[in-house]
Amino acid sequence: MNSWHYQTDGWLSSESAGVYETSTETLFLGQQDAMQRTTLVPLSKHLKGKDLTSTKIMELACGTGRFATFVKDNFPDAHVTALDLSPFYLQEARENMEHWAQLQSKSLTGVDFIQAPAEKIPVEDASY
């Protein structure tokens, strides 16, 4: 496995997953969420006029899943899948999505989580 980012205890640990959001917000001077949300603009253009109830969106290497909550917030009728190699980061992603659902007073539907490497996604080709 390649190490693309430096984490003192490794990318696949619960400690790393627990401090990720704080460390990236610090690294990017409080702009991490804003940088991620800019991706919603081209995604909105791509999805314009489409039936979102049959649309599936996958976030690869979702980390703590913050961007997946932004996607679900902007496209609530779409099915969102968060995929990450780390079970610890995926657990943070689940918790972030559950927190988002509570804030929205919504049940958590149309969301799933997959633990897998991005090179070996366990879904049918062209299903997203």
Side-chain angles (χ1 to χ4, degrees), residues 21-99:
E21 289 177 13
T22 301
S23 59
T24 56
E25 281 297 330
T26 302
L27 178 65
F28 294 110
L29 305 173
Q31 298 298 311
Q32 174 74 3
D33 283 354
M35 289 182 348
Q36 288 183 340
R37 284 192 300 268
T38 63
T39 308
L40 295 170
V41 175
L43 187 56
S44 292
K45 290 177 182 177
H46 176 72
L47 296 174
K48 187 174 182 177
K50 294 186 179 182
D51 176 16
L52 294 182
T53 60
S54 62
T55 299
K56 293 165 57 174
I57 302 168
M58 180 182 286
E59 182 186 4
L60 298 175
C62 71
T64 60
R66 292 277 289 266
F67 182 69
T69 66
F70 302 154
V71 171
K72 194 64 178 167
D73 196 39
N74 283 270
F75 311 105
D77 294 331
H79 182 91
V80 174
T81 298
L83 179 139
D84 201 87
L85 176 62
S86 169
F88 306 106
Y89 277 76
L90 211 52
Q91 181 57 38
E92 292 286 327
R94 281 187 190 92
E95 291 172 11
N96 275 332
M97 191 63 78
E98 289 167 2
H99 180 71

Side-chain angles (χ1 to χ4, degrees), residues 9 15 28 36 61-62 87 118 123-124:
D9 65 339
E15 187 174 343
F28 294 110
Q36 288 183 340
C62 71
V123 299
E124 222 173 285

Side-chain angles (χ1 to χ4, degrees), residues 3 5-17 19 23 89:
S3 178
H5 304 282
Y6 177 75
Q7 293 282 357
T8 54
D9 65 339
W11 236 181
L12 299 174
S13 73
S14 60
E15 187 174 343
S16 172
V19 300
S23 59
Y89 277 76

Side-chain angles (χ1 to χ4, degrees), residues 116-128:
E119 301 86 359
K120 295 181 182 177
I121 301 170
V123 299
E124 222 173 285
D125 285 351
S127 61
Y128 279 80

